[in-house]
Amino acid sequence: MIKVGLVDDQKYDLEKLQITLSKEADIDIVFSTNNSEEAYKLIKSEDIDLLITDIEMPELSGYELADFIHSYAMDIKVIFVTGHSGYAVHAFELDVLDYIMKPFSKERLLRGIKRLQMKKEVADKTKLVLKNKSDIFFIDKKGIIYIERTGRSTTIYTHEGEFSTYQTLNELEEELAGSHFVRSHRGFIINIHYVKNFSLYTKNSYTVHFQKTKNTAIITKSSLDKLQDQFYN
């Protein structure tokens, strides 16, 4: 879901934006105003992903709103919808998502928003969605050191702390596929980025020592052989 704020001092243009975006199931219009000073206050108080704004407006211009967002490194993207082409160069200095000339088609507007949706999808792939009885956590995959299954519970060890879940290692392994995680043992998944060394544990297994923690995991000899072939050759 993309959370959007709209601002345009022209009533017709603002209504056109509202009507166009209200029909999209994956877009939530958080606020819509024809007053740029009100938009300035709402940007600071409301949680939005995207501001769609005209540029030339009384009081505060859309360019000034975008400059405020950019200067304070707010996690808000901006799309300019304007009847003036002369601001384009300066606009992209502010890292705006898109610059759309009026009059515009629905397809042209949604094409710009699609860029943000694609960026969010990529970002989501960097997170592990972890479920337990009453909470859902979003954990950075790169911060996971290793995962251990004990009985019916799974513990995820990260450099920020431990998280427990009833999700199985098979389920988590599927979510972590394609990254630097290895199913080292039926009870462990390890992140090779944190591996410090291996030491012999039994005839057919090794202890895994990590950076960032004194905890250890287990890797079987066959898994270590595969790991060496895949990453260290």
Side-chain angles (χ1 to χ4, degrees):
M1 183 69 71
I2 303 292
K3 293 174 287 186
V4 180
L6 307 175
V7 55
D8 197 311
D9 64 314
Q10 298 299 317
K11 181 179 179 181
Y12 168 80
D13 291 334
L14 186 62
E15 287 182 352
K16 182 180 178 181
L17 287 171
Q18 288 176 308
I19 292 170
T20 301
L21 298 181
S22 63
K23 296 177 181 178
E24 300 300 313
D26 53 357
I27 294 175
D28 176 26
I29 299 175
V30 176
F31 67 79
S32 178
T33 178
N34 56 17
N35 186 310
S36 58
E37 286 195 325
E38 181 183 5
Y40 171 72
K41 295 175 183 177
L42 291 167
I43 288 167
K44 294 188 289 183
S45 63
E46 300 292 337
D47 180 20
I48 61 171
D49 304 303
L50 174 65
L51 179 72
I52 301 177
T53 179
D54 191 7
I55 294 181
E56 291 195 350
M57 296 181 290
E59 307 301 336
L60 289 173
S61 69
Y63 185 86
E64 289 173 305
L65 294 177
D67 184 56
F68 171 73
I69 289 169
H70 185 263
S71 297
Y72 285 89
M74 301 175 77
D75 191 19
I76 301 172
K77 290 298 183 182
V78 176
I79 291 179
F80 284 143
V81 179
T82 179
H84 305 275
S85 61
Y87 296 96
V89 173
H90 296 298
F92 286 102
E93 290 175 355
L94 297 176
D95 192 30
V96 301
L97 187 66
D98 205 351
Y99 193 101
I100 300 173
M101 293 294 297
K102 298 177 181 178
F104 59 88
S105 65
K106 173 183 177 180
E107 291 71 23
R108 179 64 185 88
L109 178 62
L110 294 180
R111 192 191 317 156
I113 297 174
K114 183 66 176 177
R115 295 180 189 175
L116 179 57
Q117 290 172 323
M118 292 174 67
K119 288 183 179 182
K120 285 177 70 68
E121 288 171 4
V122 171
D124 288 344
K125 291 179 181 178
T126 68
K127 301 284 187 180
L128 175 66
V129 181
L130 186 65
K131 306 167 188 173
N132 65 17
K133 284 183 177 180
S134 57
D135 298 300
I136 299 177
F137 297 97
F138 294 87
I139 302 172
D140 284 325
K141 291 181 181 179
K142 64 183 180 181
I144 298 172
I145 302 171
Y146 74 100
I147 304 172
E148 181 179 10
R149 181 74 174 179
T150 307
R152 298 179 63 186
S153 177
T154 301
T155 304
I156 298 178
Y157 296 86
T158 78
H159 56 71
E160 294 182 344
E162 302 175 10
F163 299 86
S164 296
T165 179
Y166 289 106
Q167 289 172 261
T168 67
L169 290 190
N170 288 340
E171 292 171 331
L172 294 174
E173 187 179 15
E174 187 175 334
E175 287 195 55
L176 296 170
S179 45
H180 290 80
F181 291 90
V182 174
R183 183 70 175 268
S184 64
H185 180 274
R186 59 185 175 84
F188 292 95
I189 296 173
I190 63 172
N191 184 345
I192 66 166
H193 282 164
Y194 288 95
V195 172
K196 185 163 60 176
N197 67 281
F198 305 101
S199 59
L200 189 63
Y201 181 60
T202 68
K203 181 179 178 180
N204 294 310
S205 64
Y206 292 78
T207 300
V208 186
H209 301 271
F210 300 100
Q211 303 172 44
K212 306 283 188 181
T213 180
K214 293 181 179 180
N215 294 347
T216 59
I218 300 295
I219 186 168
T220 64
K221 185 178 184 304
S222 59
S223 294
L224 182 56
D225 291 341
K226 291 178 183 178
L227 181 62
Q228 289 176 317
D229 289 338
Q230 184 175 357
F231 293 103
Y232 299 120
N233 281 345

